[in-house]
Amino acid sequence: MTYRNLEQCIQDLEQHGQLVRVREEVDPYLEMAAIHLKVHAAGGPALLFENVKGSKFRAVSNLFGTTERSKFVFRHTWEAVRDVIALRSDPMKALKNPLAHVGSALAAWKALPVKETPSQPFAQEIAISDLPHIHHWPGDGGAFITLPQVYSEDPDKPGLMKANLGMYRIQLSGNEYVPDREIGLHYQIHRGIGIHQAKATRRGEPLKVSIFVGGPPAHTLAAVMPLPEGLSELTFAGLLAGRRFRYTYADGYCISLDADFVITGDIYPGETKPEGPFGDHLGYYSLTHPFPVMRVHKVYAKPNAIWPFTVVGRPPQEDTAFGEIIHELTGDAVKQEIPGVKEVHAVDAAGVHPLLFAVGSERYTPYQPVRQPAELLTLANRILGTGQLSLAKYLFIAAEEDEPLDTHREAEFLAYMLERIDLRRDIHFYTKTTIDTLDYSGTGLNTGSKVVFAVCGERKRELCTEVPSNLKELRGYAGARMILPGVVAIEGPAFADYASAERELDGLCRMIAERGPMPSCPMIVLCDNSSFVSASIANFLWVTFTRSNPSHDIYGVNSGFEHKHWACDNVIIDARAKPHHAPPLVPDPEVERRIERFFAKGASLEGIRLD
C-alpha cells in the first residue's frame, strides 16, 4: 500500500508486528531519547509514544530503524524509484530501449507536485511551545527537531521545481531564542538553503522558509536524498510515496498539505544567534556557534498530528539505515558521475564523513615496469571534490585488479590496502582545507586537512597478526595490542599540546626505528585506551578517524621529505583525545535507571530484549 499520511504508515507497521505503542507518560527531557536508543540498539520496533509529558501530540521514532523496515515501508514503490534514478543517472538506457522504460517515465510524470486549494482549513494554528520538546542528550542546548523537511525557494527563480527540500537540524528552545517567536537553523552555506539565503541577502530580502514535519515517510527520506541533477526533492517525494506531493500557499509560504506539522517563518540578512550544543552523528557534541535564526510566522498542526523524531549519536544509529537505503537507491550514480570509480563507501562506524573507502581503476600505466597509482590519484581528486564526499579527511582508494574488492568488508579492504601500500610513495596530503563543520579534530570550524592512501599492484608484505617485538616495552608507552592484521594500538601519555606531541612522537619514532625494520606493521594507532580501541573494528574506526587531523596527527618512523613528498616506513596516527575536541556523548545514568520501568513486566516494552 501507499500511505496518504504518517498515521497510515504507523497502522501498517503495527499490523505487521513492527511497531509498539508506549502507553505510559514519558518525559521528552532525555527519557524518550534514551528509550529510543535502547530499542534501536536491540534491533527493536518502531515506537509510538502516546502520552508525551507537556504536549497533547503523540510522537513516533525508529520508523527507519532497520534497512529491512525502511524497505518494507517503501515496498510498493521501491523498484519504480530505482528505475527512475537509474534513468536520470544514465539517460542512454532510455534511448537504447525506450519501450522498456515507458513505465518509469509515467511514474515520474505522475509524481509531479500538485497545487490544491483546500475547501476547509487544512490545520489548526498552534505555538512552538505546544510541540513535543524532545531533549536528546544531557549536554544539548535545548530541544531539537531531528527529522525536519526544510523548504526554501530560489529568490531569483521562485516556485517548487527550483526549490530545495533539505534536512537541517532545528533548535526549538534554549540559548537566546525568544520562546515561540524564534528558532535556530543549522546548515552549511553550500547547501541548497544556504545558496537561497545568499541570494536573498544580496537582494536585501528575508528568505521565506517552511519546515514540514511528518507526513508520508517518503517526504522525510526525500529531504536527505542526494538526487541526480534535475530531479527535484518534491518530485522524488511523490515518486517514493506513490502519490503526488500536495501543497498550497498561505501568507506567501509554501504549505505541505500532507505534513503533520508546518512551521513558517523568515530568515533576515545577517541575523544569527548561538545554536547548539547538540549530540551529533560523529558521536560527540557539536558545540555552540552562530547560525541563522528564523523568525516564526505561524505554526500549524493537522488533527491528530504525530511528531516523528530520531536520536543522533555515535553510529550505528537510525540514520545508518537512511544511508544504507540511499546507497541501494543511488549506489550506481557515483559510477556515472566519476567514470573509473566502482564504489565509494562513507564508513558509518567512523562517523560517515571522516573516512572514505573507494575502489577505482588503474589504466594509466599498464606497461610500466613498476605499477603505481596514477589514475587513482585523478579519481581521488574527483571524489574529494564531489558533494558531501568533500567533507572527508581520509580516503583509502585501491585499484580493483585480479580479485573483486568490497569496501563494505572493512577489515578485509584495509588489509588489502596495507599489504600493497608503498609508504614512501603512496601517501598524499591536502593541507589547510575544509572538513565537516561537525568535526572538531581540525584547526578550526570547517578547517583541517585530508590525506589519500592509494594502492595498486602486487602485494608487498605479509601483515603481522601478533604485536611485533619493536612495539613492546617502549619507554613511556604501554598496552600494545593487535587491532587488525598490520595495525597495532599503543597507549601513550595524555595529549597536552601539539608542540609536546611533536617531541613525544619524534622520540617514539626514534625508539621504534632503533629496533630495526618492521615492514609487517605499516600502521600504529597511538591512543588513550588500547583495550577499547582494539576491542572491535567499530571502536578502532571511530577513535582513529574522528580524533585525528591528518596534517597534524600523522607521524612516521624514519619519515622525511623527498622533493616535498612525505614518506615513512611505518605510519603512526595520534588518535588521543585533544583539548580542542568536542566531548563524547555519554548517557545520563539516572535517566538510564529511570527508563527501566518501561521494560518491566506488564509495561509497554516488556517484550523487547535488550541483551
Side-chain angles (χ1 to χ4, degrees):
M1 66 181 296
T2 57
Y3 310 122
R4 294 194 304 275
N5 51 51
L6 183 56
E7 182 92 60
Q8 285 190 338
C9 175
I10 287 169
Q11 292 170 352
D12 186 34
L13 290 176
E14 185 174 33
Q15 289 169 6
H16 287 85
Q18 297 196 51
L19 179 136
V20 172
R21 295 173 182 262
V22 180
R23 304 178 302 273
E24 301 90 339
E25 183 183 68
V26 59
D27 196 334
Y29 181 78
L30 301 183
E31 281 192 358
M32 291 174 71
I35 292 168
H36 166 98
L37 288 170
K38 281 194 178 298
V39 172
H40 177 269
L47 300 170
L48 180 64
F49 297 92
E50 296 187 313
N51 189 357
V52 179
K53 183 178 179 181
S55 178
K56 66 179 182 181
F57 297 107
R58 297 168 293 165
V60 66
S61 78
N62 210 30
L63 280 176
F64 306 96
T66 67
T67 307
E68 294 72 25
R69 182 154 62 247
S70 298
K71 293 179 74 170
F72 174 84
V73 166
F74 303 125
R75 62 194 182 277
H76 296 294
T77 57
W78 184 264
E79 291 305 323
V81 171
R82 291 189 67 173
D83 289 346
V84 170
I85 290 179
L87 285 180
R88 300 295 302 187
S89 300
D90 187 6
M92 287 302 294
K93 286 183 180 178
L95 295 177
K96 292 174 182 176
N97 192 358
L99 293 179
H101 300 286
V102 169
S104 296
L106 186 61
W109 180 80
K110 286 183 176 179
L112 292 174
V114 57
K115 185 177 181 181
E116 295 183 0
T117 303
S119 58
Q120 56 187 12
F122 57 86
Q124 61 178 317
E125 280 193 44
I126 62 170
I128 292 291
S129 54
D130 293 322
L131 301 171
H133 278 227
I134 302 172
H135 194 116
H136 297 83
W137 292 96
D140 282 357
F144 286 81
I145 309 177
T146 49
L147 290 178
Q149 307 150 40
V150 184
Y151 175 93
S152 61
E153 295 186 7
D154 186 331
D156 297 336
K157 299 175 183 177
L160 260 75
M161 300 314 290
K162 296 292 183 181
N164 178 74
L165 189 73
M167 189 173 286
Y168 317 111
R169 75 173 187 242
I170 310 295
Q171 186 167 349
L172 291 174
S173 63
N175 296 350
E176 301 172 11
Y177 300 117
V178 179
D180 286 329
R181 291 170 51 191
E182 295 177 339
I183 57 178
L185 279 72
H186 180 117
Y187 54 83
Q188 298 176 27
I189 197 65
H190 67 277
R191 300 295 182 89
I193 189 174
I195 295 169
H196 291 172
Q197 184 195 359
K199 288 185 177 183
T201 298
R202 285 196 296 270
R203 294 162 65 107
E205 304 171 350
L207 179 69
K208 289 188 179 300
V209 175
S210 301
I211 301 168
F212 313 139
V213 183
H219 295 190
T220 299
L221 184 59
V224 295
M225 279 292 295
L227 295 171
E229 189 70 26
L231 180 59
S232 79
E233 289 93 355
L234 299 179
T235 299
F236 177 83
L239 182 65
L240 189 59
R243 63 194 302 269
R244 301 169 78 174
F245 181 93
R246 303 183 312 122
Y247 71 98
T248 190
Y249 281 89
D251 303 329
Y253 300 90
C254 183
I255 305 292
S256 165
L257 293 174
D258 295 312
D260 287 71
F261 301 87
V262 178
I263 305 170
T264 61
D266 302 271
I267 301 174
Y268 280 77
E271 283 196 5
T272 64
K273 283 194 173 183
E275 186 268 357
F278 177 74
D280 232 313
H281 69 265
L282 269 71
Y284 307 89
Y285 288 98
S286 57
L287 304 180
T288 303
H289 298 285
F291 276 94
V293 60
M294 176 172 143
R295 299 188 197 177
V296 177
H297 175 65
K298 289 183 179 178
V299 185
Y300 303 97
K302 294 178 71 174
N304 300 313
I306 302 170
W307 183 262
F309 74 97
T310 189
V311 182
V312 186
R314 179 188 164 186
Q317 297 294 345
E318 188 173 1
D319 51 5
T320 301
F322 269 120
E324 289 173 351
I325 60 176
I326 287 171
H327 177 76
E328 284 205 35
L329 286 171
T330 65
D332 288 340
V334 71
K335 299 178 185 179
Q336 304 298 326
E337 190 164 357
I338 311 176
V341 171
K342 178 190 175 185
E343 65 180 51
V344 178
H345 172 38
V347 180
D348 185 67
V352 181
H353 292 148
L355 175 63
L356 302 177
F357 286 169
V359 177
S361 55
E362 186 52 71
R363 300 165 294 189
Y364 287 4
T365 57
Y367 307 114
Q368 297 292 335
V370 177
R371 282 180 57 73
Q372 67 181 57
E375 183 181 6
L376 286 180
L377 300 182
T378 301
L379 297 175
N381 287 328
R382 290 285 304 275
I383 291 169
L384 293 176
T386 300
Q388 294 196 51
L389 300 178
S390 66
L391 302 177
K393 297 183 298 184
Y394 288 84
L395 169 58
F396 289 75
I397 183 168
E400 186 171 76
E401 298 180 283
D402 297 332
E403 58 184 280
L405 294 175
D406 184 351
T407 59
H408 290 80
R409 300 173 71 91
E410 286 135 350
E412 292 179 16
F413 181 78
L414 191 58
Y416 183 93
M417 293 280 308
L418 295 179
E419 286 172 344
R420 287 159 177 79
I421 193 164
D422 181 340
L423 295 171
R424 308 206 72 83
R425 183 192 67 196
D426 295 338
I427 304 176
H428 307 270
F429 285 91
Y430 303 70
T431 60
K432 299 184 184 298
T433 186
T434 56
I435 59 174
D436 190 359
T437 302
L438 308 177
D439 190 334
Y440 289 89
S441 67
T443 52
L445 191 66
N446 289 117
T447 61
S449 62
K450 305 179 189 299
V451 65
V452 172
F453 295 82
V455 306
C456 69
E458 299 296 320
R459 187 167 60 179
K460 296 177 174 60
R461 63 181 63 82
E462 292 285 341
L463 300 178
C464 62
T465 55
E466 296 181 356
V467 175
S469 59
N470 302 48
L471 301 180
K472 296 177 180 178
E473 299 180 1
L474 292 167
R475 189 175 63 257
Y477 299 86
R481 290 179 171 85
M482 291 301 305
I483 302 175
L484 296 169
V487 186
V488 173
I490 60 173
E491 294 177 8
F495 183 96
D497 53 55
Y498 274 115
S500 301
E502 192 165 350
R503 291 192 297 271
E504 291 165 359
L505 270 294
D506 284 347
L508 175 61
C509 290
R510 283 196 303 272
M511 278 194 287
I512 296 172
E514 288 168 357
R515 298 183 175 200
M518 190 177 56
S520 67
C521 186
M523 182 178 289
I524 302 162
V525 178
L526 177 61
C527 59
D528 300 305
N529 185 338
S530 62
S531 294
F532 178 81
V533 171
S534 62
S536 68
I537 186 171
N539 287 356
F540 156 65
L541 293 170
W542 182 60
V543 169
T544 304
F545 299 106
T546 64
R547 297 184 185 178
S548 60
N549 175 20
S551 62
H552 286 54
D553 295 318
I554 290 182
Y555 298 82
V557 176
N558 293 322
S559 66
F561 290 90
E562 300 170 359
H563 305 294
K564 302 182 179 67
H565 180 83
W566 187 81
C568 69
D569 290 339
N570 311 86
V571 168
I572 301 179
I573 301 177
D574 185 353
R576 295 175 294 178
K578 282 86 175 175
H580 59 279
H581 288 180
L585 302 178
V586 179
D588 184 315
E590 173 56 33
V591 173
E592 295 294 300
R593 286 191 292 272
R594 213 161 58 223
I595 65 169
E596 289 176 3
R597 70 186 190 275
F598 293 94
F599 301 91
K601 186 175 182 179
S604 296
L605 303 177
E606 70 164 308
I608 298 176
R609 296 186 59 177
L610 300 179
D611 46 36

